[in-house]
Amino acid sequence: MRMSPDLSHHQARQEKFFSLIQDAGLSAFAINAGNNLEYMTGLRFDLMERPVVAFFAPEMPVTLVLPEFETGRAKACDFPVRLFAYGEDPSKWDAAFAAAVESLGGLRGSVGVEARALRVLELRYLEGAAPAASFDTHDELLSALRMTKDAAEIEKMQHAVDIAQQALLAFLPAVNVGVTESELAAELTLQLLRAGSGPGVAFPPIVASGLNSANPHATPTGRRLQEGDLLVVDWGAAYQGYISDLTRTFILGKMDADFARIAGIVRQANLAGCQAAAPGARAGDVDVAARAVITQAGYGEYFLTRTGHGIGMDVHEDPYMFAQNETKLMPGMTFTVEPGIYIAGRGGVRIEDNVVVTETGCRVLSSLERDLLVVG
Ligand code: ZN
Ligand code: ZN
């Protein structure tokens, strides 16, 4: 658990959340351990066998059920909070939930929960403590709040991008014929940590060479790099709760005219996607623009994924860049633009950047060279 120094932010977020809760006709919202709880309170709890649930009810203090040994840090919040702590005997945990619900006047009506985050573990305690309430999934309330980042969040994301870029440059000398993908993934992880990523890295890096590069979600293997291989590297850093997620593609030893042409198409698609990102555009327009470049070049069937996904505290979050997504882009929204061409039996190229929508268009947070570079 770590505390943000800027607690006034959390109260402002809670106020916005309370009005969304009311607009949705809910009496309260229950959030368990994870990024949304940290976003609302600055309190970081890992998802473990002991349930942690925070109740957000308009006009009420934030009401938190948590293990006794976690209460010290939770008491330090500078917004109104009520704690209901339990010890190590699980048979007493339902009493803590009952007392918390009691303090909220006994929950009734519709209480919001997150389909993508709440576990059956927490749900059973909630149902037991509040039999008069119905627990209904409203993930969209938190998505709506988190989708638009403030200046402090964007600064953290820029920092996560800077760390990732620095790590990649330190990593490149290790890329040589004969080295395995797994060794390179370990080296890149090390360089990310050295450059200041923490805690840990954004996600385990993808290092995919040769035929493996044609798989958009490859995991590193013991395959040794060979001359002429395409090499897709997809990596990201973590910084103060925010992440980056970048991809660059390299070629081993010597340039290949065909791969260079394919990489040029992907680069144009990446540029078109970034240029389509502007306030008032649809999220889907980013996908349409990037896909049009690849389709017109005759490779449409090899662009196997959507063009991107939102990023922030999570590696994948709203908005998602697929053609049908009608979400209107607004200043402060952050997402990836990552078109690719993946040809089974030959190889793949992906170029992934992180962008933020501005008042007038979009700003690309990542600046590493995008051309197909010869390495090794
Ligand atoms: Zn990625
Ligand atoms: Zn991505």
Side-chain angles (χ1 to χ4, degrees):
M1 189 169 70
R2 56 182 183 274
M3 303 281 303
S4 159
D6 195 357
L7 286 164
S8 64
H9 264 169
H10 297 125
Q11 271 179 301
R13 286 172 178 175
Q14 289 166 18
E15 288 306 316
K16 280 191 200 164
F17 190 34
F18 289 145
S19 60
L20 290 180
I21 288 170
Q22 280 169 325
D23 291 351
L26 307 177
S27 57
F29 206 106
I31 300 181
N32 64 325
N35 285 342
N36 281 334
L37 185 55
E38 183 175 7
Y39 181 83
M40 283 297 161
T41 64
L43 297 169
R44 170 97 224 154
F45 298 98
D46 292 322
L47 200 55
M48 293 179 116
E49 75 281 12
R50 301 178 185 90
V52 173
V53 173
F55 296 90
F56 293 84
E59 321 264 319
M60 294 287 208
V62 174
T63 301
L64 194 56
V65 178
L66 76 176
E68 253 156 25
F69 68 88
E70 301 275 26
T71 55
R73 287 169 292 176
K75 277 179 193 153
C77 294
D78 79 345
F79 51 84
V81 60
R82 263 195 306 231
L83 305 181
F84 293 87
Y86 56 77
E88 292 289 19
D89 175 2
S91 72
K92 307 270 170 55
W93 295 358
D94 54 354
F97 277 87
V101 168
E102 174 81 32
S103 83
L104 293 164
L107 290 173
R108 42 186 62 80
S110 180
V111 175
V113 294
E114 298 174 90
R116 292 192 293 233
L118 198 80
R119 299 177 298 186
V120 175
L121 173 72
E122 288 87 6
L123 182 61
R124 292 287 183 260
Y125 281 112
L126 293 172
E127 289 168 340
S134 68
F135 293 92
D136 304 314
T137 57
H138 284 278
D139 298 64
E140 75 282 1
L141 266 58
L142 287 145
S143 294
L145 288 174
R146 279 184 46 188
M147 217 170 356
T148 305
K149 274 71 175 176
D150 63 29
E153 292 179 284
I154 291 166
E155 199 171 314
K156 288 172 184 172
M157 294 179 65
Q158 177 70 68
H159 214 93
V161 167
D162 294 345
I163 291 169
Q165 298 199 142
Q166 192 186 329
L168 196 276
L169 295 175
F171 152 85
L172 280 180
V175 179
N176 286 299
V177 168
V179 182
T180 70
E181 294 170 355
S182 302
E183 285 163 354
L184 287 178
E187 172 66 16
L188 183 50
T189 300
L190 179 68
Q191 295 298 347
L192 281 163
L193 296 173
R194 278 205 178 128
S197 178
V201 295
F203 52 89
I206 294 174
V207 177
S209 65
L211 302 187
N212 295 343
S213 64
N215 174 3
H217 288 142
T219 45
T221 71
R223 182 183 184 278
R224 291 182 189 285
L225 269 51
Q226 298 169 17
E227 188 167 280
D229 276 354
L230 284 174
L231 179 73
V232 170
V233 180
D234 186 338
W235 79 109
Y239 180 74
Q240 292 190 0
Y242 289 79
I243 59 93
S244 54
D245 175 11
L246 306 175
T247 304
R248 289 292 182 268
T249 303
F250 304 93
I251 188 160
L252 263 291
K254 60 173 188 335
M255 187 52 79
D256 173 281
D258 212 28
F259 285 149
R261 199 173 50 76
I262 288 169
I265 296 163
V266 175
R267 184 173 173 177
Q268 285 305 313
N270 171 285
L271 186 64
C274 293
Q275 284 171 344
R282 299 157 56 249
D285 294 341
V286 176
D287 183 79
V288 170
R291 199 168 298 278
V293 171
I294 291 177
T295 302
Q296 279 159 23
Y299 290 89
E301 66 184 292
Y302 302 107
F303 183 4
L304 302 176
T305 66
R306 62 195 173 198
T307 294
H309 52 84
I311 52 167
M313 299 178 86
D314 286 307
V315 179
H316 286 181
E317 57 181 56
D318 283 311
Y320 294 96
M321 304 295 134
F322 59 96
Q324 297 78 12
N325 191 346
E326 300 290 337
T327 303
K328 282 270 177 285
L329 297 181
M330 298 202 297
M333 286 187 177
T334 50
F335 49 87
T336 70
V337 176
E338 50 177 307
I341 292 177
Y342 308 96
I343 307 175
R346 290 202 62 203
V349 173
R350 175 166 68 256
I351 302 172
E352 177 176 24
D353 286 295
N354 298 165
V355 308
V356 54
V357 178
T358 63
E359 297 292 337
T360 54
C362 104
R363 180 157 70 92
V364 184
L365 300 178
S366 33
S367 58
L368 282 177
E369 177 65 55
R370 294 176 184 82
D371 284 336
L372 187 65
L373 286 185
V374 179
V375 293

